[in-house]
Short mmCIF file of all heavy atoms in Angstrom, two decimals:
data_model
loop_
_atom_site.label_atom_id
_atom_site.label_comp_id
_atom_site.label_asym_id
_atom_site.label_seq_id
_atom_site.Cartn_x
_atom_site.Cartn_y
_atom_site.Cartn_z
N LEU E 18 -5.46 -2.02 -11.00
CA LEU E 18 -4.28 -1.29 -11.45
C LEU E 18 -4.22 -1.20 -12.98
O LEU E 18 -3.20 -0.87 -13.54
CB LEU E 18 -3.00 -1.97 -10.93
CG LEU E 18 -2.86 -2.06 -9.41
CD1 LEU E 18 -1.58 -2.80 -9.05
CD2 LEU E 18 -2.89 -0.69 -8.77
N ALA E 19 -5.34 -1.48 -13.64
CA ALA E 19 -5.35 -1.56 -15.09
C ALA E 19 -5.09 -0.23 -15.78
O ALA E 19 -4.43 -0.17 -16.80
CB ALA E 19 -6.67 -2.15 -15.57
N VAL E 20 -5.62 0.86 -15.23
CA VAL E 20 -5.46 2.17 -15.85
C VAL E 20 -4.55 3.02 -14.96
O VAL E 20 -4.81 3.17 -13.77
CB VAL E 20 -6.83 2.86 -16.01
CG1 VAL E 20 -6.68 4.25 -16.59
CG2 VAL E 20 -7.75 2.01 -16.87
N ASN E 21 -3.47 3.55 -15.55
CA ASN E 21 -2.50 4.36 -14.83
C ASN E 21 -2.08 3.68 -13.53
O ASN E 21 -2.40 4.16 -12.43
CB ASN E 21 -3.04 5.77 -14.56
CG ASN E 21 -1.94 6.73 -14.17
OD1 ASN E 21 -0.82 6.34 -13.85
ND2 ASN E 21 -2.27 8.02 -14.18
N PRO E 22 -1.39 2.55 -13.60
CA PRO E 22 -1.11 1.74 -12.42
C PRO E 22 -0.33 2.45 -11.32
O PRO E 22 -0.59 2.24 -10.16
CB PRO E 22 -0.34 0.54 -12.96
CG PRO E 22 0.01 0.86 -14.36
CD PRO E 22 -0.88 1.95 -14.83
N ARG E 23 0.62 3.30 -11.67
CA ARG E 23 1.40 3.99 -10.63
C ARG E 23 0.51 4.92 -9.82
O ARG E 23 0.55 4.91 -8.59
CB ARG E 23 2.56 4.76 -11.24
CG ARG E 23 3.64 3.88 -11.79
CD ARG E 23 4.68 4.69 -12.57
NE ARG E 23 5.50 3.84 -13.36
CZ ARG E 23 6.73 3.47 -13.03
NH1 ARG E 23 7.27 3.91 -11.93
NH2 ARG E 23 7.42 2.66 -13.80
N LYS E 24 -0.29 5.70 -10.50
CA LYS E 24 -1.19 6.63 -9.81
C LYS E 24 -2.22 5.86 -8.99
O LYS E 24 -2.49 6.19 -7.84
CB LYS E 24 -1.89 7.54 -10.82
CG LYS E 24 -2.86 8.51 -10.18
CD LYS E 24 -3.55 9.38 -11.22
CE LYS E 24 -4.48 10.33 -10.50
NZ LYS E 24 -5.70 10.55 -11.20
N ARG E 25 -2.77 4.82 -9.60
CA ARG E 25 -3.80 4.04 -8.91
C ARG E 25 -3.23 3.33 -7.69
O ARG E 25 -3.87 3.26 -6.65
CB ARG E 25 -4.41 3.02 -9.90
CG ARG E 25 -5.59 2.29 -9.34
CD ARG E 25 -6.78 3.22 -9.12
NE ARG E 25 -7.85 2.43 -8.53
CZ ARG E 25 -8.46 2.71 -7.39
NH1 ARG E 25 -8.15 3.78 -6.72
NH2 ARG E 25 -9.39 1.92 -6.91
N TRP E 26 -2.00 2.81 -7.78
CA TRP E 26 -1.37 2.14 -6.65
C TRP E 26 -1.20 3.14 -5.49
O TRP E 26 -1.48 2.81 -4.34
CB TRP E 26 -0.02 1.55 -7.07
CG TRP E 26 0.58 0.62 -6.05
CD1 TRP E 26 0.40 -0.72 -5.97
CD2 TRP E 26 1.44 0.98 -4.96
NE1 TRP E 26 1.11 -1.22 -4.90
CE2 TRP E 26 1.75 -0.21 -4.26
CE3 TRP E 26 1.98 2.18 -4.50
CZ2 TRP E 26 2.57 -0.22 -3.14
CZ3 TRP E 26 2.80 2.16 -3.38
CH2 TRP E 26 3.09 0.97 -2.71
N ARG E 27 -0.75 4.35 -5.82
CA ARG E 27 -0.60 5.38 -4.77
C ARG E 27 -1.94 5.67 -4.10
O ARG E 27 -2.02 5.80 -2.88
CB ARG E 27 -0.04 6.68 -5.37
CG ARG E 27 1.44 6.69 -5.54
CD ARG E 27 1.93 8.12 -5.87
NE ARG E 27 3.24 8.06 -6.46
CZ ARG E 27 3.48 8.11 -7.77
NH1 ARG E 27 2.51 8.26 -8.63
NH2 ARG E 27 4.71 8.04 -8.22
N GLU E 28 -3.00 5.80 -4.89
CA GLU E 28 -4.33 6.06 -4.34
C GLU E 28 -4.79 4.91 -3.46
O GLU E 28 -5.35 5.14 -2.37
CB GLU E 28 -5.34 6.29 -5.48
CG GLU E 28 -5.10 7.56 -6.25
CD GLU E 28 -5.91 7.64 -7.54
OE1 GLU E 28 -6.58 6.64 -7.92
OE2 GLU E 28 -5.87 8.71 -8.18
N LEU E 29 -4.57 3.68 -3.91
CA LEU E 29 -4.94 2.51 -3.11
C LEU E 29 -4.20 2.53 -1.77
O LEU E 29 -4.79 2.27 -0.72
CB LEU E 29 -4.64 1.21 -3.85
CG LEU E 29 -5.52 0.86 -5.03
CD1 LEU E 29 -5.00 -0.40 -5.73
CD2 LEU E 29 -6.96 0.65 -4.61
N MET E 30 -2.92 2.83 -1.82
CA MET E 30 -2.12 2.85 -0.59
C MET E 30 -2.56 3.96 0.36
O MET E 30 -2.57 3.76 1.57
CB MET E 30 -0.63 2.96 -0.89
CG MET E 30 -0.01 1.64 -1.24
SD MET E 30 -0.26 0.35 0.02
CE MET E 30 0.76 0.96 1.34
N GLU E 31 -2.91 5.11 -0.17
CA GLU E 31 -3.40 6.19 0.70
C GLU E 31 -4.65 5.75 1.44
O GLU E 31 -4.82 6.04 2.62
CB GLU E 31 -3.70 7.45 -0.13
CG GLU E 31 -2.46 8.21 -0.55
CD GLU E 31 -2.79 9.40 -1.46
OE1 GLU E 31 -3.94 9.90 -1.42
OE2 GLU E 31 -1.89 9.82 -2.19
N ALA E 32 -5.53 5.04 0.76
CA ALA E 32 -6.77 4.56 1.38
C ALA E 32 -6.53 3.37 2.30
O ALA E 32 -7.17 3.26 3.36
CB ALA E 32 -7.79 4.19 0.30
N ARG E 33 -5.62 2.50 1.93
CA ARG E 33 -5.47 1.23 2.65
C ARG E 33 -4.40 1.23 3.74
O ARG E 33 -4.52 0.46 4.69
CB ARG E 33 -5.15 0.11 1.65
CG ARG E 33 -6.30 -0.17 0.70
CD ARG E 33 -5.91 -1.22 -0.31
NE ARG E 33 -6.99 -1.47 -1.26
CZ ARG E 33 -6.88 -2.30 -2.27
NH1 ARG E 33 -5.75 -2.96 -2.48
NH2 ARG E 33 -7.91 -2.48 -3.09
N ARG E 34 -3.37 2.06 3.62
CA ARG E 34 -2.27 2.03 4.61
C ARG E 34 -2.79 2.13 6.05
O ARG E 34 -2.39 1.32 6.90
CB ARG E 34 -1.24 3.12 4.33
CG ARG E 34 -0.06 3.07 5.32
CD ARG E 34 0.98 4.13 5.01
NE ARG E 34 1.57 3.94 3.70
CZ ARG E 34 2.55 3.08 3.41
NH1 ARG E 34 3.03 2.29 4.36
NH2 ARG E 34 3.04 2.99 2.20
N PRO E 35 -3.70 3.06 6.36
CA PRO E 35 -4.19 3.11 7.75
C PRO E 35 -4.90 1.82 8.17
O PRO E 35 -4.84 1.44 9.34
CB PRO E 35 -5.17 4.28 7.75
CG PRO E 35 -4.85 5.08 6.53
CD PRO E 35 -4.25 4.13 5.54
N LEU E 36 -5.55 1.15 7.23
CA LEU E 36 -6.27 -0.09 7.54
C LEU E 36 -5.29 -1.25 7.73
O LEU E 36 -5.47 -2.08 8.63
CB LEU E 36 -7.29 -0.40 6.45
CG LEU E 36 -8.30 0.72 6.20
CD1 LEU E 36 -9.23 0.36 5.05
CD2 LEU E 36 -9.09 1.06 7.45
N TYR E 37 -4.25 -1.31 6.89
CA TYR E 37 -3.22 -2.34 7.08
C TYR E 37 -2.58 -2.17 8.46
O TYR E 37 -2.38 -3.13 9.19
CB TYR E 37 -2.12 -2.23 6.02
CG TYR E 37 -2.51 -2.56 4.60
CD1 TYR E 37 -2.05 -1.78 3.54
CD2 TYR E 37 -3.31 -3.65 4.29
CE1 TYR E 37 -2.38 -2.08 2.23
CE2 TYR E 37 -3.66 -3.96 2.98
CZ TYR E 37 -3.18 -3.17 1.95
OH TYR E 37 -3.50 -3.47 0.66
N THR E 38 -2.27 -0.93 8.79
CA THR E 38 -1.64 -0.64 10.08
C THR E 38 -2.58 -0.97 11.24
O THR E 38 -2.14 -1.50 12.26
CB THR E 38 -1.21 0.84 10.13
OG1 THR E 38 -0.35 1.09 9.01
CG2 THR E 38 -0.47 1.16 11.40
N GLU E 39 -3.86 -0.67 11.07
CA GLU E 39 -4.85 -0.94 12.12
C GLU E 39 -4.91 -2.42 12.49
O GLU E 39 -5.00 -2.77 13.67
CB GLU E 39 -6.23 -0.48 11.64
CG GLU E 39 -7.39 -0.80 12.56
CD GLU E 39 -8.73 -0.50 11.91
OE1 GLU E 39 -8.84 0.50 11.17
OE2 GLU E 39 -9.69 -1.27 12.16
N VAL E 40 -4.87 -3.30 11.50
CA VAL E 40 -5.02 -4.73 11.77
C VAL E 40 -3.70 -5.42 12.12
O VAL E 40 -3.72 -6.55 12.61
CB VAL E 40 -5.70 -5.48 10.60
CG1 VAL E 40 -7.08 -4.93 10.31
CG2 VAL E 40 -4.83 -5.48 9.35
N ALA E 41 -2.58 -4.77 11.88
CA ALA E 41 -1.28 -5.42 12.01
C ALA E 41 -0.74 -5.42 13.43
O ALA E 41 -0.78 -4.41 14.12
CB ALA E 41 -0.27 -4.75 11.09
N ARG E 42 -0.24 -6.57 13.81
CA ARG E 42 0.52 -6.68 15.06
C ARG E 42 1.94 -6.18 14.81
O ARG E 42 2.61 -5.69 15.71
CB ARG E 42 0.55 -8.13 15.53
CG ARG E 42 1.22 -8.33 16.86
CD ARG E 42 1.19 -9.77 17.31
NE ARG E 42 -0.17 -10.22 17.57
CZ ARG E 42 -0.48 -11.47 17.88
NH1 ARG E 42 0.46 -12.39 17.98
NH2 ARG E 42 -1.72 -11.82 18.10
N ALA E 43 2.42 -6.33 13.56
CA ALA E 43 3.76 -5.90 13.19
C ALA E 43 3.75 -5.39 11.75
O ALA E 43 2.96 -5.84 10.93
CB ALA E 43 4.74 -7.07 13.31
N VAL E 44 4.63 -4.44 11.47
CA VAL E 44 4.83 -3.92 10.13
C VAL E 44 6.26 -4.27 9.73
O VAL E 44 7.20 -3.97 10.46
CB VAL E 44 4.63 -2.39 10.06
CG1 VAL E 44 4.91 -1.86 8.66
CG2 VAL E 44 3.22 -2.02 10.51
N VAL E 45 6.41 -4.92 8.58
CA VAL E 45 7.73 -5.32 8.10
C VAL E 45 7.93 -4.69 6.73
O VAL E 45 7.17 -4.96 5.80
CB VAL E 45 7.86 -6.86 8.02
CG1 VAL E 45 9.18 -7.25 7.35
CG2 VAL E 45 7.76 -7.47 9.41
N GLY E 46 8.93 -3.84 6.63
CA GLY E 46 9.27 -3.23 5.35
C GLY E 46 10.01 -4.22 4.47
O GLY E 46 10.82 -5.00 4.96
N THR E 47 9.69 -4.19 3.19
CA THR E 47 10.31 -5.14 2.26
C THR E 47 11.44 -4.50 1.44
O THR E 47 12.17 -5.22 0.77
CB THR E 47 9.27 -5.73 1.30
OG1 THR E 47 8.72 -4.67 0.51
CG2 THR E 47 8.16 -6.44 2.07
N GLY E 48 11.55 -3.20 1.49
CA GLY E 48 12.52 -2.48 0.67
C GLY E 48 13.96 -2.91 0.94
O GLY E 48 14.39 -2.98 2.09
N GLY E 49 14.69 -3.22 -0.13
CA GLY E 49 16.10 -3.56 -0.01
C GLY E 49 16.36 -4.91 0.63
O GLY E 49 17.49 -5.21 0.99
N ARG E 50 15.32 -5.73 0.78
CA ARG E 50 15.48 -7.04 1.40
C ARG E 50 15.12 -8.15 0.42
O ARG E 50 14.21 -7.99 -0.39
CB ARG E 50 14.54 -7.18 2.60
CG ARG E 50 14.91 -6.33 3.78
CD ARG E 50 13.87 -6.53 4.88
NE ARG E 50 14.36 -6.05 6.15
CZ ARG E 50 13.59 -5.87 7.21
NH1 ARG E 50 12.30 -6.15 7.17
NH2 ARG E 50 14.10 -5.42 8.34
N THR E 51 15.79 -9.26 0.55
CA THR E 51 15.43 -10.45 -0.22
C THR E 51 14.19 -11.07 0.43
O THR E 51 13.89 -10.79 1.61
CB THR E 51 16.57 -11.49 -0.20
OG1 THR E 51 16.72 -11.97 1.14
CG2 THR E 51 17.87 -10.91 -0.73
#
């Protein structure tokens, strides 16, 4: 995330989201939660 971290994070998530979902038994959103 060293260069243009916001753009790079989005790119990483586009590539990785399907893989995270593939291995997960459950998906837990963290937004708005402690």
Side-chain angles (χ1 to χ4, degrees):
L18 299 178
V20 177
N21 196 346
R23 290 172 195 259
K24 179 180 180 218
R25 187 67 182 124
W26 191 91
R27 278 192 199 98
E28 292 168 354
L29 289 174
M30 278 305 291
E31 285 176 23
R33 294 176 182 177
R34 182 178 298 279
L36 303 177
Y37 292 139
T38 304
E39 175 188 324
V40 300
R42 184 178 295 175
V44 177
V45 173
T47 63
R50 290 178 164 167
T51 66

